[in-house]
Amino acid sequence: MTVLQRLRGFLRPGRQLLAPLALLGAVGLMVAMRPTPTALERVQARGELVVATRPSLTTVYRDPNGLTGMEYELARGFAERLGVELRLLEVDSTSDLKYAVRRGKADLAASALLAGHDGDQALRYSTPYQNVDTLVMYRLGDQRPAEITDLIGKEVLVRAGSRHADMLVAAQLDHPELSFEQVENATAEQLLALVEQGDGDYALINSNAYAIHRSLFPDLASGFTLSVDQGLAWAFRANDDRSLYLAAQRFLTQAKADGTTTRLANRFYGHVDQFNLYAARSFIRHMDDRLPSYTAQFQEASVDAGFDWRLLAAMAYQESLWDAQAISPTGVEGLMMLTNRTAREMGVSDRTDPAQSIRAGAAYLRKLHDRVPDRIQEPDRTWMALAAYNMGMGHLEDARVLTERQGDNPDLWQDVKTRLTLLDDPAYVNQLRYGAAPGGQAAVYVRHIRRYYDLLVWANNSDRHRANMVALAD
């Protein structure tokens, strides 16, 4: 065998090894070249959108139908748009929100955050979905602050790590003598409670928080507006790709354009804009001294009728101020102000008997609720049933017909309630099958019940009277 033959024999096994080595190299190259999934693709792949939030009445809270709130409804809508489930990650502080997003524990933070407020390059903020003002709150009867210099020498409270704290730090450049205290993990409600209790002179909160809490704190008021038209937005991780962020931008932009954010704002804040200081004080007082006598009856009736007991209690407060002996000039009586006709229909022998009145009122509301068309969704279905309780089902149907004729949705309470005032307008009476009716009164009736109902729900979600209420350190 020649040298060349021996050399070829020696090289042949090596040639066989080259093929698998080349294959491994190609596979490695393909793996290296495979694109990393985008933030949006990761959300869609795992089938859920993780949203960090801080529960409150302006973000996420629980009512009898489950979780709700401005942030919750928007986040749920975004998750549905992406075709995934929504999972909330509840945290205790603003710093925890940011940490959850920066570390990838949450895809975004939705918790009434002021857009771009902290200058933190690790976060990217979406387009604002709602604008708010910053208010300086004080106790009625104390000196009302009118400008930033009025805060000097006073105990001013803000949430730790908030934009409000940043505002006051900036104000200290012009007013070095200005001081304030940052309260760790405080909510707007807790700051208001501290001022109410005299543990602080002033507190800074957003206008949306004031709108939703003002009935719970009738002895507090806004002194002046420190800052106007600040945008509330969602926060994303800045060093992530922009895919999820851009999807959220498109969703929020469309939500504003098609009126979704306006409808949500009306749903959560629209019925609390008219505020009566004395009525709120009276409600809170009666909630403490009258409601406990009837709570058990409301809860029992709620089981049979299938309504939240707090809704029934709100109805009774609107009807009688929780006075079992109440009687109106038109002859209706009792907690639920039943007419003689309704009392006979519902088998009531004594309209002033609290248990009979509550049970009959709840059962009658259920009858009306069942007559509302099935296609009408909650909570619109309940608001329409309440309007029918006040003025009759026929008049409600007249209002719905007018709504449809005028090009709006007869299945949305927001659209129908604007036609209720037309039910006694001479220009429309001849179009009504069931004749004229005091529809404006029914609209006010429902608005008041919604307000009282929210107060009862919010009071149940409140920490104001609990031992773990936030307190300032000595």
Side-chain angles (χ1 to χ4, degrees):
M1 180 182 295
T2 66
V3 174
L4 181 58
Q5 288 175 327
R6 286 199 299 272
L7 182 60
R8 285 174 178 170
F10 176 77
L11 291 174
R12 191 174 295 120
R15 184 179 297 170
Q16 294 172 352
L17 289 174
L18 287 177
L21 286 175
L23 179 60
L24 287 174
V27 170
L29 182 61
M30 291 175 63
V31 170
M33 294 177 61
R34 181 182 300 165
T36 302
T38 66
L40 178 58
E41 289 171 341
R42 292 197 300 270
V43 168
Q44 293 173 327
R46 68 171 179 264
E48 68 174 11
L49 177 72
V50 182
V51 175
T53 191
R54 195 171 179 220
S56 75
L57 299 181
T58 57
T59 57
V60 179
Y61 64 94
R62 185 175 297 277
D63 73 4
N65 297 314
L67 292 174
T68 189
M70 185 79 175
E71 292 281 18
Y72 175 77
E73 298 299 338
L74 281 174
R76 185 176 67 169
F78 183 42
E80 290 175 354
R81 176 70 59 82
L82 299 180
V84 300
E85 297 295 322
L86 173 64
R87 178 165 68 87
L88 295 180
L89 176 64
E90 297 185 0
V91 301
D92 295 325
S93 68
T94 303
S95 60
D96 288 343
L97 284 170
K98 298 174 185 178
Y99 178 83
V101 175
R102 286 196 301 262
R103 297 301 298 269
K105 296 180 179 296
D107 300 305
L108 65 95
S111 194
L113 294 172
L114 293 174
H117 78 261
D118 54 7
D120 188 344
Q121 297 302 309
L123 295 178
R124 178 187 292 128
Y125 290 86
S126 71
T127 183
Y129 58 84
Q130 183 181 5
N131 288 333
V132 297
D133 301 334
T134 296
L135 308 178
V136 179
M137 304 298 300
Y138 77 107
R139 283 185 304 277
L140 291 172
D142 291 352
Q143 179 182 355
R144 177 177 181 173
E147 57 186 22
I148 192 70
T149 55
D150 291 336
L151 307 186
I152 296 172
K154 299 294 185 178
E155 191 166 13
V156 183
L157 308 179
V158 297
R159 188 177 75 247
S162 67
R163 169 57 173 154
H164 300 151
D166 295 341
M167 291 178 183
L168 295 183
V169 169
Q172 286 176 327
L173 297 176
D174 295 323
H175 308 283
E177 63 273 37
L178 174 67
S179 64
F180 60 95
E181 182 156 4
Q182 299 193 51
V183 185
E184 292 291 338
N185 301 336
T187 63
E189 177 191 3
Q190 292 167 335
L191 292 176
L192 291 172
L194 289 170
V195 174
E196 181 187 55
Q197 295 161 187
D199 292 322
D201 296 310
Y202 307 130
L204 272 58
I205 66 170
N206 287 333
S207 54
N208 63 329
Y210 179 42
I212 213 165
H213 286 96
R214 64 187 305 187
S215 295
L216 290 172
F217 295 90
D219 293 320
L220 302 184
S222 171
F224 70 96
T225 301
L226 184 62
S227 181
V228 299
D229 284 338
Q230 304 162 93
L232 300 183
W234 291 347
F236 299 79
R237 186 166 52 179
N239 60 2
D240 213 340
D241 68 84
R242 295 166 60 89
S243 58
L244 184 63
Y245 166 79
L246 291 175
Q249 290 285 78
R250 291 190 292 271
F251 170 78
L252 292 175
T253 299
Q254 182 178 342
K256 290 198 294 185
D258 65 18
T260 296
T261 54
T262 299
R263 286 193 295 273
L264 288 174
N266 285 332
R267 172 178 170 183
F268 293 107
Y269 306 112
H271 61 292
V272 297
D273 54 359
Q274 296 187 14
F275 175 76
N276 183 301
L277 171 64
Y278 301 102
R281 285 175 172 167
S282 177
F283 178 84
I284 291 175
R285 183 175 67 254
H286 293 330
M287 188 169 62
D288 290 334
D289 60 26
R290 291 186 181 180
L291 178 58
S293 299
Y294 308 117
T295 298
Q297 288 98 322
F298 285 125
Q299 291 174 336
E300 182 179 345
S302 75
V303 174
D304 296 332
F307 293 110
D308 178 17
W309 74 268
R310 292 166 295 189
L311 178 67
L312 302 178
M315 286 180 62
Y317 189 80
Q318 171 62 23
E319 295 283 1
S320 66
L321 303 182
W322 295 324
D323 180 0
Q325 303 303 313
I327 183 169
S328 79
T330 59
V332 295
E333 293 184 65
L335 278 174
M336 303 297 278
M337 284 292 181
L338 302 175
T339 64
N340 270 316
R341 177 180 176 179
T342 302
R344 288 194 299 270
E345 179 182 346
M346 306 308 297
V348 173
S349 59
D350 180 2
R351 288 182 290 169
T352 63
D353 177 77
Q356 288 191 56
S357 182
I358 292 170
R359 184 171 59 252
Y364 187 60
L365 180 64
R366 169 50 59 188
K367 289 183 65 173
L368 295 171
H369 191 278
D370 290 344
R371 291 176 60 189
V372 175
D374 291 341
R375 66 178 178 274
I376 299 178
Q377 301 298 307
E378 293 292 0
D380 302 75
R381 186 181 178 90
T382 294
W383 308 146
M384 292 192 193
L386 287 170
Y389 188 100
N390 181 258
M391 67 178 180
M393 182 60 74
H395 297 306
L396 173 67
E397 286 304 304
D398 277 342
R400 295 183 63 241
V401 169
L402 281 177
T403 302
E404 188 169 28
R405 285 176 181 170
Q406 294 180 2
D408 279 335
N409 190 339
D411 297 342
L412 289 180
W413 172 248
Q414 192 69 26
D415 291 348
V416 172
K417 75 174 183 180
T418 62
R419 274 69 182 192
L420 292 179
T421 57
L422 304 180
L423 298 184
D424 57 2
D425 186 330
Y428 292 91
V429 168
N430 62 352
Q431 303 178 34
L432 306 177
R433 179 178 179 183
Y434 296 94
Q441 174 182 306
V444 172
Y445 176 83
V446 175
R447 186 178 72 235
H448 286 179
I449 290 176
R450 290 183 63 184
R451 180 184 301 150
Y452 298 140
Y453 173 62
D454 281 347
L455 284 169
L456 290 170
V457 171
W458 297 341
N460 280 178
N461 283 279
S462 172
D463 288 330
R464 288 184 64 198
H465 305 297
R466 298 179 188 172
N468 64 348
M469 180 65 202
V470 67
L472 293 175
D474 293 334

